[in-house]
Amino acid sequence: MDEELSLLAGRGVLLTGATGSLGKHVLCTLLSAHGKPVEPCPAGIQGTIFVLIRPRGSADAAHRLHRDVFRSPCFDQLRNRPDWALLQASCVPVTGERGVADLALGKAQLSRLRNQCGVVLHCGRTRSRVEEATFTNLCAASQLFGMLTKGKRKSQPVSYTHL
C-alpha cells in the first residue's frame, strides 16, 4: 500500500464520493499515509486533497465534509492526533452537482482543479434507479475527467482511478 500511496506524493488529488463508506476510508488512508500531509498554503499547492461533495439541503460541501465525513468512526484515530487540524486543512471542500453544466464548479474552481490536480480518485456512486446510477457512475465521472484534462499539456497528465 505504501508503494501505491507514494505515487500520489506531491500531486494534488481530487476525491469524489467522500461521504460514502468507501470514500471515507480512502480519505482517511490518504491523510494517515505518511504521518503528515504536504502542508497547504493559501494559494494551494500540489499535495492538496480536493474533496468533491454535493450539497444537501442547506449544507454545502464544507459543512458536509466536517459533519458527514470527519465525524465518521474511521477518523477516530486521526482526530486524536496533535496534527488533526493540519490534516483537515489539507482537504479543500469543493461543491459540485451532477447533471449540471460543468458540475456547477464555476470557472475559478475549475481552473484551480485543472492546475493543481494530477490524480482523480472516483469513489462516487449511487445504487438508485438504473438510469441515475448509469449517469452518476459513468457519465458524470467521464464528464469530470474531460473537464480536468481539457487544455492540459501532455506534460501535465491526470491519472484517473474509478474505485
Side-chain angles (χ1 to χ4, degrees), residues 47-88:
T48 299
I49 302 170
F50 296 92
V51 186
L52 184 65
I53 300 176
R54 291 190 317 248
R56 293 269 189 212
S58 63
D60 64 4
H63 184 79
R64 292 194 68 208
L65 178 62
H66 289 276
R67 182 193 70 194
D68 301 339
V69 179
F70 289 149
R71 288 186 184 173
S72 171
C74 68
F75 289 88
D76 285 349
Q77 287 185 323
L78 289 177
R79 277 194 300 274
N80 292 323
R81 288 176 41 165
D83 61 347
W84 175 234
L86 179 62
L87 293 170
Q88 289 180 40

Side-chain angles (χ1 to χ4, degrees), residues 90-103:
S90 69
C91 297
V92 176
V94 176
T95 300
E97 185 62 73
R98 64 182 182 220
V100 178
D102 289 338
L103 302 176

Side-chain angles (χ1 to χ4, degrees), residues 15-16 22-23 26-27 30 120-125 160-163:
L15 176 66
T16 71
L22 176 61
V26 168
L27 182 57
L30 290 173
V120 178
L121 299 177
H122 178 57
C123 301
R125 68 174 179 83
Y160 181 90
T161 303
H162 191 147
L163 303 172

Side-chain angles (χ1 to χ4, degrees), residues 4-67:
E4 289 86 358
L5 290 170
S6 70
L7 298 173
L8 304 177
R11 299 180 78 188
V13 175
L14 175 61
L15 176 66
T16 71
T19 58
S21 181
L22 176 61
K24 288 174 189 170
H25 283 81
V26 168
L27 182 57
C28 187
T29 300
L30 290 173
L31 291 176
S32 60
H34 296 291
K36 186 175 181 182
V38 175
E39 293 188 29
C41 67
I45 60 168
Q46 301 301 316
T48 299
I49 302 170
F50 296 92
V51 186
L52 184 65
I53 300 176
R54 291 190 317 248
R56 293 269 189 212
S58 63
D60 64 4
H63 184 79
R64 292 194 68 208
L65 178 62
H66 289 276
R67 182 193 70 194

